[in-house]
Amino acid sequence: MAKWVYMFSEGDMTMRNLLGGKGANLAEMTSIGLPVPQGFTITTEACTQYYEDGRKINDEIMAQVMEGVKKMEEINGKKFGDLQNPLLVSVRSGARASMPGMMDTILNLGLNDEVVAAMIAGNPDPKFERFVYDSYRRFIQMFSDVVMEVGKKYFEQLIDQMKAEKNVKFDVELTAADLKKLAEQFKAEYKKQLGKDFPSDPVQQLKLAIEAVFRSWDNPRANVYRRDNDIPYSWGTAVNVMPMVFGNLNDESGTGVAFTRDPATGEKKLMGEFLINAQGEDVVAGVRTPMPIAQMEKEFPDAYADFIKVCDILENHYHDMQDMEFTVENKKLFMLQCRNGKRTAQAALKIACDLVDEGHKTEAEAVAMIDPRNLDTLLHPQFDAKALKAATPLGKGLGASPGAACGKVVFTAEDAEEWGARGEKVVLVRLETSPEDITGMKAAQGILTVRGGMTSHAAVVARGMGTCCVSGCGDINMDEENKKFTLAGKEFHEGDYISIDGSTGNIYEGEIPTVDASIAGEFGRIMAWADKYRRLKVRTNADTPRDAKKARELGAEGIGLCRTEHMFFEEDRIAAFREMICADTVEERVAALDKILPYQQGDFEQLYEALEGCPVVIRFLDPPLHEFVPTDEEDIKKLADAQGKSVESIKALIASLHEFNPMMGHRGCRLAVTYPEIAVMQTKAVIRAAINVQKAHPEWKIDPEIMIPLVGEVKELKYVKKFVVETADAEIAAAGIDMKYQVGTMIEIPRAALTADEIAKEADFFCFGTNDLTQMTYGFSRDDAGKFLSAYYDAKILENDPFAKLDQVGVGKLMKMAMELGKPVNPALTVGICGEHGGDPSSVEFCHKIGLDYVSCSPFRVPVARLAAAQAAIANAGK
Ligand code: PEP
Ligand code: MG
């Protein structure tokens, strides 16, 4: 019989896959003697089983849960539903990878009318009565919302109504009698909404709550989070059932969240927040703004001293920054959770370096602990220092997630999404955010909230996404309904510009220009370590000297893809290019190409200069020609005049270029097969540029690499290559220079992968064009797949966009096959990838595993690829 339930005393931190992160760490804290309320974990496998059984908890699992309850009752000397000593529990999710705020939690479970009455009868303190009713109404509200999906709003309305009736502002001002009445009203509301009574049996409550947590694994926000963070759906979540300790018991109690190091900067100092007389959700929900953790020392000196000891123990045990949740009940400390804390990219780098310096980690371990996807945020713009100096902040909140953001104010997540979709830069300004806001938060440049601390939803989620966030700016006077707010006497309306600094927390009126970041300090240190471990080279996809220079600064070791067609669109070139398209004869076409040649040569020279002798792969013309012809009347007329032809004849020509399926049409090497003179011109441009730069810089070694796109049959390559070789050899001979060059091909058509042994005889190198290879392997249009992918996610057919994350099963199999077929035929063959996947960490790991020589990606992803390549090498060392 499978074991579905583990007491905290039965597990340890190595069991994360089975017990989830929270469960494994609760077990580990138990095993090292920390004060953890003793409960049990229902495994992630039980979650998978729940889905396999058609969203039902089967009898075997439930029987083991009840055994767990029994043991928990014995350990704690309390019983579910008991009128003398009732046991109340929390039921919380906990997946293998932490997904803060994405799944469900239920607190105070086990309460019902009888238990409430008995608890009050057992303790005459009127404050205790208030506490019991406060817990009861919280439980009814949370259970109704989370477990039974009755909207929160009904309960909030009732609370507002009660506060209005009693003429008070805050929940804490409501009396025991008010809360008792509220609990009654809540139950009545429950019945009204669901047509049945609120469940009073604690066992039934527990079963429903466990089901709700399993169910929440599949809620939309968890699905989005998983996709963004590359967490497989198949992992499932564990459920942790733990006896409640009460931070809201009295003024000798409280609850807090803390990090052993600053999660925003990485500085080694305890960072956290604490609320007296409150339950955990009050801190995280950002409803009340908590006090800094240091103040806890004054309020609860003993518990604080214990907590500091725990922090040290945990850091030394896990060798990483810890994020902890704890509660103080009657001055006594209880640990409710610990985990390696989420951190900003900046903090991640500092912490990793500090941990090496402190002897906690090796360099390789430090490299392995950085999430490559986060590096992106460091490369994003910061405010221009000069402009910033000249600006005066209007107000200040907490610098919750660094980076600079500037945009138009919007007040709802929906607006952020809508405005973002039409290309507007927006800053989402909210009282506080909640998990429903996630897509709007993603669309925003920055997030500004009135309430909430460093661990509020807005702060945690923004940090995870790498979006700039300022939280808890209580000086803002918010009027969400009328979409306006005031700060320092200035009124802001929807659409007004605002700038926020997620590092300092400063808020500015208007637009402040931003500048790019650079690799220095800890970033440079980690990158240097990464470079020691990686085997894969990292090149960049760049078509302009500017991009190439940026990529070089970010560590690119060459250009893996220069899409030459991008050079044709500029004003002065497009005319000549259109002339080439309109040519009726080879002579006319050659004449037009001769006009383009100097432009191309000049561009290539600049690229070779920018790359300082590093390899440059230049890909020949790829897109279908219709992309270059004019569409509006005026331009058509201009073209006709320039060509000395009639408007009608130009229109007829444009019509003749129309294709039903242009991505599978007259493009790639098919253009060079039809018009070899294009390949001849491009070869001249490449070789002449290389010769000139080589002459100017004898210290560099320029070996041009020419790449023929969209080859599916070796004879295509052979045919085009003949023109390339003839032209290149003639140019080199004429220059009297000793220059080697390579002619390679993209592998981006399935047939090319299938016949790679044939193609490898003719190609000096392969480069996987996984954009087209994915398109043609799946048969999904790379331009239109977005239209149906979300249906595929909902139907669980796909978990990720195969154009962003390599489909290792299908497309990957073709790549592997191409490697295995190509390499033995041509052992000198170098192989790279230049599709979008070249900058995606898991795809980079795959490329490492199948033995590619390099990955090539957009300039800003170069550091991501360097780190991912190092992590792949470290993870696969010795395999
Ligand atoms: C590819 O297909 O992966 C590729 C890099 O070429 P392009 O995106 O230009 O078609
Ligand atoms: Mg392609």
Side-chain angles (χ1 to χ4, degrees):
M1 187 170 61
K3 186 167 166 62
W4 305 108
V5 171
Y6 287 75
M7 303 308 292
F8 293 164
S9 55
E10 290 179 298
D12 62 51
M13 70 181 184
T14 64
M15 295 164 75
R16 164 180 281 270
N17 293 1
L18 187 65
L19 302 179
K22 194 177 291 167
N25 289 335
L26 285 167
E28 188 72 15
M29 285 199 287
T30 299
S31 76
I32 60 173
L34 299 185
V36 175
Q38 288 301 297
F40 59 85
T41 303
I42 308 164
T43 65
T44 53
E45 288 175 358
C47 178
T48 315
Q49 190 64 43
Y50 162 86
Y51 283 101
E52 269 174 30
D53 291 342
R55 298 183 176 236
K56 273 196 199 79
I57 301 182
N58 70 36
D59 294 346
E60 187 179 287
I61 295 173
M62 204 53 211
Q64 291 191 23
V65 168
M66 291 319 296
E67 265 172 52
V69 168
K70 207 164 140 228
K71 286 185 196 151
M72 180 170 63
E73 288 175 337
E74 281 161 15
I75 300 169
N76 293 281
K78 292 181 177 180
K79 252 177 112 75
F80 248 167
D82 193 74
L83 300 185
Q84 299 305 317
N85 220 354
L87 175 68
L88 305 186
V89 296
S90 65
V91 179
R92 310 170 87 194
S93 60
R96 209 191 280 193
S98 97
M99 296 170 57
M102 294 303 138
M103 289 179 291
D104 290 339
T105 292
I106 301 107
L107 304 178
N108 305 323
L109 186 140
L111 285 173
N112 58 31
D113 288 353
E114 290 74 38
V115 169
V116 163
M119 283 171 79
I120 291 167
N123 187 333
D125 184 346
K127 277 195 187 147
F128 185 73
E129 183 185 0
R130 188 190 179 285
F131 150 74
V132 175
Y133 282 117
D134 187 41
S135 304
Y136 196 26
R137 64 98 190 175
R138 281 171 192 266
F139 170 55
I140 300 168
Q141 181 176 356
M142 214 176 208
F143 188 92
S144 306
D145 171 30
V146 169
V147 180
M148 306 307 288
E149 294 168 14
V150 178
K152 261 199 281 243
K153 62 175 186 211
Y154 300 107
F155 303 96
E156 274 159 11
Q157 274 163 11
L158 289 168
I159 297 174
D160 287 345
Q161 211 172 295
M162 178 66 78
K163 286 199 284 202
E165 247 170 57
K166 297 287 162 180
N167 200 17
V168 297
K169 206 168 158 202
F170 298 106
D171 296 8
V172 281
E173 296 170 275
L174 294 173
T175 64
D178 299 337
L179 294 168
K180 180 177 179 182
K181 207 162 146 200
L182 262 186
E184 287 305 321
Q185 289 175 353
F186 280 10
K187 278 190 297 175
E189 186 66 36
Y190 180 96
K191 188 158 187 187
K192 188 169 139 203
Q193 295 295 331
L194 296 177
K196 55 187 172 190
D197 285 325
F198 188 82
S200 60
D201 173 13
V203 172
Q204 197 198 351
Q205 291 173 356
L206 180 65
K207 185 169 183 210
L208 290 168
I210 295 168
E211 270 172 358
V213 174
F214 284 158
R215 204 168 56 228
S216 71
W217 176 250
D218 197 24
N219 73 28
R221 62 178 194 266
N223 282 320
V224 170
Y225 188 92
R226 265 198 301 277
R227 207 154 39 245
D228 288 352
N229 291 277
D230 231 344
I231 300 172
Y233 178 78
S234 60
W235 283 1
T237 180
V239 182
N240 299 290
V241 180
M242 180 157 57
M244 287 296 301
V245 279
F246 296 100
N248 59 337
L249 183 59
N250 49 35
D251 289 340
E252 312 273 73
S253 307
T255 188
V257 182
F259 297 88
T260 53
R261 297 173 196 236
D262 186 331
T265 65
E267 199 187 331
K268 193 176 180 188
K269 66 163 197 235
L270 184 65
M271 270 281 303
E273 287 158 344
F274 187 71
L275 264 176
I276 293 180
N277 202 345
Q279 273 194 342
E281 86 257 21
D282 299 335
V283 184
V284 183
V287 178
R288 279 160 65 189
T289 302
M291 61 173 81
I293 190 92
Q295 227 165 301
M296 180 183 160
E297 186 171 17
K298 258 204 342 251
E299 309 286 344
F300 302 124
D302 293 342
Y304 184 76
D306 286 346
F307 182 63
I308 297 296
K309 272 188 224 147
V310 168
C311 290
D312 277 349
I313 292 171
L314 286 177
E315 264 227 357
N316 287 323
H317 194 71
Y318 285 97
H319 302 292
D320 198 354
M321 183 264 262
Q322 292 300 297
D323 164 2
M324 300 151 298
E325 283 181 23
F326 62 95
T327 281
V328 173
E329 184 187 83
N330 275 329
K331 297 188 182 169
K332 185 171 164 15
L333 174 75
F334 292 92
M335 296 304 297
L336 305 186
Q337 177 178 330
C338 76
R339 62 181 171 205
N340 294 342
K342 293 246 180 246
R343 60 205 76 180
T344 62
Q346 218 163 5
L349 296 173
K350 173 155 175 55
I351 291 170
C353 288
D354 287 352
L355 290 173
V356 171
D357 295 340
E358 291 163 24
H360 282 291
K361 299 264 185 206
T362 63
E363 288 174 8
E365 284 167 342
V367 166
M369 70 190 283
I370 310 284
D371 184 345
R373 286 165 306 182
N374 272 350
L375 290 186
D376 226 26
T377 60
L378 292 179
L379 303 164
H380 285 304
Q382 303 284 327
F383 286 132
D384 173 66
K386 239 183 170 172
L388 191 64
K389 243 189 178 162
T392 318
L394 269 189
K396 192 174 169 71
L398 301 170
S401 180
C406 163
K408 292 179 177 170
V409 170
V410 291
F411 289 88
T412 67
E414 294 73 40
D415 286 343
E417 239 185 301
E418 202 183 304
W419 292 43
R422 59 171 194 250
E424 302 260 24
K425 292 187 168 178
V426 297
V427 173
L428 176 63
V429 185
R430 307 274 288 146
L431 270 178
E432 70 226 1
T433 63
S434 67
E436 292 84 53
D437 294 339
I438 188 139
T439 40
M441 292 169 76
K442 256 168 86 171
Q445 248 57 44
I447 297 153
L448 170 60
T449 70
V450 182
R451 298 180 190 148
M454 291 292 284
T455 48
S456 65
H457 177 265
V460 171
V461 172
R463 275 202 293 277
M465 299 190 308
T467 300
C468 158
C469 173
V470 173
S471 69
C473 178
D475 293 339
I476 290 179
N477 203 333
M478 182 66 134
D479 182 354
E480 274 186 332
E481 202 169 319
N482 293 304
K483 297 196 171 175
K484 61 180 187 184
F485 70 85
T486 47
L487 177 61
K490 160 92 194 142
E491 196 166 278
F492 286 84
H493 296 264
E494 187 177 61
D496 289 347
Y497 269 103
I498 193 169
S499 300
I500 60 174
D501 186 329
S503 306
T504 60
N506 284 335
I507 302 159
Y508 306 85
E509 185 186 351
E511 268 182 290
I512 301 178
T514 54
V515 288
D516 290 350
S518 70
I519 297 190
E522 278 114 8
F523 198 171
R525 236 179 131 194
I526 295 277
M527 282 296 136
W529 291 336
D531 290 346
K532 278 208 278 196
Y533 292 98
R534 70 186 160 91
R535 180 189 60 72
L536 278 173
K537 296 269 181 212
V538 178
R539 297 193 188 183
T540 190
N541 295 355
D543 318 319
T544 65
R546 198 172 137 259
D547 285 357
K549 272 198 199 100
K550 182 83 228 167
R552 288 283 290 148
E553 278 163 35
L554 298 175
E557 296 161 297
I559 289 183
L561 173 64
C562 164
R563 293 176 165 104
T564 47
E565 59 270 15
H566 290 176
M567 298 167 159
F568 296 133
F569 284 100
E570 279 172 42
E571 192 63 37
D572 48 351
R573 297 138 196 242
I574 191 75
F577 199 80
R578 286 174 177 165
E579 212 179 300
M580 188 277 290
I581 296 174
C582 293
D584 290 324
T585 62
V586 176
E587 290 71 31
E588 275 179 31
R589 200 159 26 250
V590 169
L593 286 165
D594 282 346
K595 289 188 196 164
I596 300 168
L597 174 59
Y599 289 124
Q600 284 244 291
Q601 184 183 328
D603 290 338
F604 296 152
E605 278 172 11
Q606 286 187 49
L607 281 186
Y608 284 126
E609 292 278 355
L611 266 290
E612 301 170 313
C614 293
V616 177
V617 173
I618 291 172
R619 183 186 68 188
F620 280 7
L621 187 67
D622 183 51
L625 296 181
H626 76 88
E627 288 189 14
F628 300 92
V629 293
T631 46
D632 61 72
E633 288 288 333
E634 203 181 316
D635 285 344
I636 293 174
K637 167 111 185 35
K638 250 196 227 162
L639 180 58
D641 291 348
Q643 294 296 115
K645 291 184 175 157
S646 68
V647 167
E648 284 63 39
S649 69
I650 296 292
K651 281 189 177 169
L653 178 106
I654 292 172
S656 74
L657 292 175
H658 171 79
E659 291 181 293
F660 286 102
N661 202 342
M663 286 309 272
M664 294 170 84
H666 197 188
R667 60 171 287 222
C669 66
R670 297 155 208 174
L671 292 170
V673 170
T674 327
Y675 309 119
E677 48 281 9
I678 299 178
V680 169
M681 181 279 287
Q682 292 203 289
T683 306
K684 281 184 192 163
V686 170
I687 300 294
R688 286 179 192 177
I691 290 171
N692 284 350
V693 177
Q694 181 69 85
K695 280 186 179 161
H697 294 279
E699 72 280 17
W700 299 341
K701 191 158 178 321
I702 315 262
D703 291 340
E705 295 180 42
I706 290 170
M707 182 153 76
I708 310 301
L710 227 70
V711 164
E713 155 62 52
V714 66
K715 287 182 202 145
E716 292 177 327
L717 176 61
K718 248 176 146 169
Y719 183 82
V720 178
K721 189 178 158 186
K722 189 166 74 67
F723 291 97
V724 172
V725 169
E726 275 172 15
T727 310
D729 287 351
E731 291 291 330
I732 291 168
I737 195 171
D738 180 24
M739 175 171 278
K740 294 203 171 40
Y741 64 92
Q742 296 185 31
V743 184
T745 182
M746 297 192 73
I747 303 287
E748 52 184 346
I749 288 189
R751 194 178 187 284
L754 295 168
T755 60
D757 46 351
E758 292 294 321
I759 294 176
K761 288 182 201 151
E762 292 297 326
D764 296 318
F765 62 88
F766 283 174
C767 191
F768 289 107
T770 44
N771 303 333
D772 277 310
L773 192 58
T774 301
Q775 169 166 261
M776 293 192 227
T777 302
Y778 255 117
F780 289 171
S781 157
R782 57 193 270 190
D783 302 307
D784 298 315
K787 287 185 190 153
F788 57 80
L789 278 180
S790 60
Y792 272 53
Y793 300 147
D794 292 346
K796 304 280 182 312
I797 295 169
L798 287 180
E799 282 189 46
N800 303 92
D801 179 350
F803 290 101
K805 184 180 168 185
L806 188 75
D807 157 41
Q808 296 181 15
V809 179
V811 177
K813 191 186 259 181
L814 285 171
M815 292 170 69
K816 205 159 166 269
M817 184 184 286
M819 292 291 289
E820 286 164 2
L821 290 173
K823 281 268 187 180
V825 174
N826 179 358
L829 190 79
T830 45
V831 185
I833 179 175
C834 61
E836 279 308 296
H837 308 90
D840 168 67
S842 68
S843 313
V844 170
E845 183 180 15
F846 180 78
C847 293
H848 170 89
K849 281 203 222 153
I850 65 166
L852 261 59
D853 297 290
Y854 65 85
V855 297
S856 186
C857 56
S858 57
F860 279 100
R861 291 169 89 190
V862 165
V864 175
R866 284 164 69 193
L867 186 61
Q871 292 181 345
I874 291 165
N876 291 281
K879 280 189 191 161

